[in-house]
Amino acid sequence: MPATPTDGGSYDGSRLRQIADGFDLEEFRRRNRVALGMDGLYLVTIGFFANMFVRGVWPAAIAAIPMAALLYFGWSSSKPFFLAQLLTIAVVATATVANVVPL
């Protein structure tokens, strides 16, 4: 029996199930070493473009299209990989602005 919220509508948990399906841990268990290596290379590449992106106008212009393409690939691939890309961009951009990471 579905729970009834206070507004009178019904709630079946389908949205929560969709989010949970996007983070299936079985996906990580099925991956082999080559696939994980390729994911690592994608993350290193997106980190390099994120480094370029915060270095000025022209480096950002050069890095924008490949970074958008890699982010689209990550979104199409799986949600955990897309989130790993966003986390990589945030960490590398923060480290670059703090002058911790050289080009």
Side-chain angles (χ1 to χ4, degrees):
M1 176 147 107
T4 305
T6 57
D7 65 356
S10 64
Y11 175 75
D12 61 356
S14 64
R15 180 72 178 146
L16 184 61
R17 236 178 286 127
Q18 287 175 346
I19 293 171
D21 289 343
F23 297 102
D24 187 16
L25 292 178
E26 284 296 318
E27 177 184 344
F28 294 118
R29 292 188 191 118
R30 288 187 295 241
R31 309 282 301 220
N32 59 18
R33 288 184 183 181
V34 174
L36 290 174
M38 288 301 297
D39 289 348
L41 287 174
Y42 277 114
L43 292 177
V44 168
T45 305
I46 198 93
F48 173 73
F49 287 132
N51 188 333
M52 285 179 61
F53 200 77
V54 296
R55 296 232 176 235
V57 175
W58 283 111
I62 293 168
I65 292 175
M67 194 157 65
L70 287 171
L71 284 171
Y72 177 74
F73 170 75
W75 178 259
S76 301
S77 169
S78 68
K79 303 312 176 241
F81 183 62
F82 180 71
L83 291 176
Q85 285 180 321
L86 293 180
L87 181 66
T88 301
I89 290 170
V91 168
V92 170
T94 303
T96 302
V97 170
N99 288 326
V100 175
V101 177
L103 182 62

